[in-house]
Amino acid sequence: MTSKIIIENLKIYAYHGALAEETLIGTYYLLNVEVQANLWKAVGTDDLNDTINYAAINDIIHQEMKIPSKLMEHVAGRILKNVKLAFPQISFIKIKITKTNPPMTGEMHGVSVEIENQF
């Protein structure tokens, strides 16, 4: 049995970007993280130790978002790596990061990068 835990539209202010002003001014990012694992044991035990602790994933996301990077791909890769290290039972991870105010002309909701990996 495979189950999913999904963190949806986590809003974090951070300082990522290839342009110098992006690392000075910053902007809001929206993060969506999906992890898959066999969580069937937790269904019966009601024990946090038998599942994936999404509060711990949230902490990892916040830690990695504090580290300025030029590329959202780099940030997503760090999050993916550290979530997998914390929870080796995860069989799949998908991370989507959306920069809500990219420095480009035109009106938009944002620009996103999505990275996924199956283990």
Side-chain angles (χ1 to χ4, degrees):
M1 172 184 169
T2 298
S3 304
K4 296 178 183 180
I5 294 177
I6 303 168
I7 297 174
E8 298 182 84
N9 294 323
L10 174 61
K11 189 175 183 180
I12 299 175
Y13 201 89
Y15 300 87
H16 307 299
L19 302 176
E21 59 266 24
E22 292 179 284
T23 59
L24 293 173
I25 299 168
T27 192
Y28 281 105
Y29 292 80
L30 296 174
L31 289 96
N32 290 274
V33 178
E34 175 185 320
V35 298
Q36 295 180 14
N38 184 341
L39 305 177
W40 186 247
K41 186 174 181 184
V43 171
T45 64
D46 196 27
D47 187 339
L48 183 59
N49 295 313
D50 295 330
T51 190
I52 306 294
N53 184 339
Y54 53 79
I57 293 175
N58 183 57
D59 289 343
I60 292 167
I61 294 167
H62 276 84
Q63 288 169 3
E64 294 304 324
M65 288 297 289
K66 287 180 184 176
I67 303 168
S69 296
K70 293 179 184 171
L71 301 177
M72 290 188 293
E73 294 89 338
H74 186 69
V75 180
R78 289 196 322 262
I79 293 169
L80 189 149
K81 180 184 116 196
N82 287 305
V83 168
K84 178 61 176 168
L85 284 172
F87 300 100
Q89 68 270 39
I90 289 174
S91 60
F92 174 84
I93 303 175
K94 179 168 59 174
I95 299 171
K96 179 181 175 185
I97 301 177
T98 303
K99 183 183 285 190
T100 61
N101 192 19
M104 301 185 311
T105 56
E107 189 174 326
M108 65 187 80
H109 292 284
V111 173
S112 301
V113 168
E114 187 173 273
I115 294 180
E116 58 186 60
N117 199 351
Q118 189 163 4
F119 306 97

